[in-house]
Amino acid sequence: MSAGTADGDSPDDDAANRGGDQTERTPLRRSETGRWDGIAGVALALVGVGVVARQPGLVLTGAVGVGYAVYARIGEAPEATIEVERTVSDDTPAPDDDVVVTVRAHNVGDAALPDLRLVDGVPPGLEVVDGPARIATALRPGATAAFEYTVRASRGEHEWEPMRGITRDAAGSQERTTELATPTRIVCTPELSAGGDLPLRGLTTIYHGRVPTDVGGAGVEFHATREYRRGDPVKRIDWNRRARTGELATLELREERAATVVLLIDARESAYAAAEPDADTAVEASVQAAGQAFTALLDGGDRVGIATLGPRDCWLSPGAGTTHAARGRETLATDPALAPTPSEGRFYQSLWLRRFRRRLPADAQVLFFTPLLDDSAASLAHRIDAHGHLVTVLSPDVTAGDTPGTRLVAFERRERLRELRAAGIRAVEWGDRSFPVAVARATGRWSR
């Protein structure tokens, strides 16, 4: 949906259209368009030929051309005296919702803008699905131009970049570019749904939970028997043994304790790969899976944290409870380190690893979400595991394709998965099937 209008509004209407925000105008550059390049030379040549050949028509035509060339050199492109109001139909949409963006540009200056082009600064993480995010028009003083377009919402916090305003003089020979900044943003926060049981390993905390341990105590699964001690609960006395031998013994049950888990998401530039141009990137697939894991682990009584592997820092300490659940949801949805497009800046893995190890609780295990597209990710999983933190690699497969390049990448990725499993590191991959289904199948294999 798109539209463009230019009209003269009353003062009251102008105030309503502009709203309370003031547009910040930043001049960028002036330049020649080159529209009239060569016309002066051609015109003078016609005049010369007409004089020599005594053809008044050629002389007249050349004189008209010289006049146009002189006209093109007179004056300059006017300043973009534009006040911009940008509104969105929903500033907190759900993923894949359509959001209508309405832009109104008001000429607050005293001069007419005979040739005005406006190009809106759509955030890179949003896709325009209907209507161009631009307009070309002319505006007299006090007039307003409006246009609309529709974007498809995606996870994250999206802030509009400054609009580009390009003005030209009446002849179109000179142009001036100006940035027109007005704050606009939307926040798209997906709901986190549980993805079933997660393949946690034996490293646990002192808190009761759902992960079986080798420690005897209160629980639901038989562990061993021991000699009865004064004060042992009557319900844990082995009455069958008492009946057979006359001796008192106490049943020890296998304790179940809570795990401390950190969800580590690979957000390096190499992880922003996708199986197809319009498909989700590995980072997006990892964030969605991490959201399911986060909810499932919290529901199971575990303490869960979030971290990213990338140039931007992101760290949510392991915790539990409803407040922590809200923080985790916000982190996965809006943290700049997990933006839909790669973060700028250089990444130093050795510095990152030292900082990550300092933050990581001693009893924590790591669920590492990575597409495994390079050796660095596999090496990092080995190093974290070697430092005493059990690692499970959860890898979205984005290597679909039938070109020699994609087949080579897929082969190398399979080799990394094989090496991780050979080293005792659990690894789950998923592609066409959903993340919970892949986890359930892998858990079934491990339990056999």
Side-chain angles (χ1 to χ4, degrees), residues 101-306:
V101 184
T102 303
V103 180
R104 295 179 65 85
H106 183 73
N107 184 1
V108 296
D110 298 328
L113 304 176
D115 188 343
L116 173 66
R117 291 126 195 269
L118 299 174
V119 181
D120 208 2
V122 181
L126 298 180
E127 177 190 3
V128 178
V129 295
D130 190 11
R134 60 179 64 89
I135 191 175
T137 186
L139 281 182
R140 63 181 181 274
T144 299
F147 63 98
E148 288 184 353
Y149 60 94
T150 303
V151 296
R152 178 87 21 93
S154 62
R155 176 195 57 82
E157 181 177 337
H158 306 276
E159 187 159 355
W160 263 251
E161 298 175 354
M163 178 183 293
R164 289 291 180 101
I166 302 172
T167 56
R168 291 183 175 181
D169 60 0
S173 61
Q174 300 182 31
E175 70 179 21
R176 180 183 298 192
T177 304
T178 306
E179 278 190 350
L180 307 168
T182 184
T184 308
R185 71 168 187 158
I186 63 173
V187 179
C188 181
T189 306
E191 295 292 333
L192 299 186
S193 58
D197 289 337
L198 271 294
L200 298 183
R201 299 169 71 180
L203 197 61
T204 58
T205 70
I206 62 173
Y207 304 102
H208 289 286
R210 64 184 180 88
V211 180
T213 72
D214 292 327
V215 180
V220 295
E221 181 183 350
F222 175 77
H223 177 65
T225 60
R226 60 169 173 79
E227 183 180 351
Y228 173 79
R229 301 191 192 105
R230 184 182 297 273
D232 284 347
V234 174
K235 64 180 180 180
R236 286 174 52 196
I237 294 176
D238 188 352
W239 294 107
N240 291 331
R241 182 171 177 178
R242 169 70 173 173
R244 290 194 312 269
T245 66
E247 299 176 354
L248 283 176
T250 300
L251 294 172
E252 287 280 351
L253 303 177
R254 189 183 303 276
E255 286 191 353
E256 291 187 343
R257 294 184 178 175
T260 298
V261 186
V262 172
L263 310 178
L264 176 60
I265 301 172
D266 189 348
R268 296 170 300 156
E269 185 174 1
S270 60
Y272 283 87
E276 298 176 357
D278 295 332
D280 286 340
T281 65
V283 173
E284 195 66 30
S286 295
V287 170
Q288 293 174 7
Q292 296 175 342
F294 185 83
T295 301
L297 293 169
L298 285 184
D299 290 348
D302 300 309
R303 298 168 58 81
V304 194
I306 298 171

Side-chain angles (χ1 to χ4, degrees), residues 408-428:
L408 176 60
V409 172
F411 171 78
E412 293 175 341
R413 177 177 174 275
R414 287 195 299 270
E415 285 298 299
R416 295 185 189 104
L417 286 166
R418 183 187 61 79
E419 292 172 0
L420 287 170
R421 290 163 178 156
I425 296 176
R426 289 177 175 177
V428 180

Side-chain angles (χ1 to χ4, degrees), residues 32-53:
E32 300 284 341
T33 64
R35 173 180 289 185
W36 301 97
D37 286 355
I39 190 171
V42 173
L44 290 175
L46 287 174
V47 171
V49 171
V51 170
V52 173

Side-chain angles (χ1 to χ4, degrees), residues 392-416:
T392 300
V393 172
L394 303 158
S395 181
D397 186 3
V398 292
T399 60
D402 199 30
T403 65
T406 55
R407 287 198 295 268
L408 176 60
V409 172
F411 171 78
E412 293 175 341
R413 177 177 174 275
R414 287 195 299 270
E415 285 298 299
R416 295 185 189 104

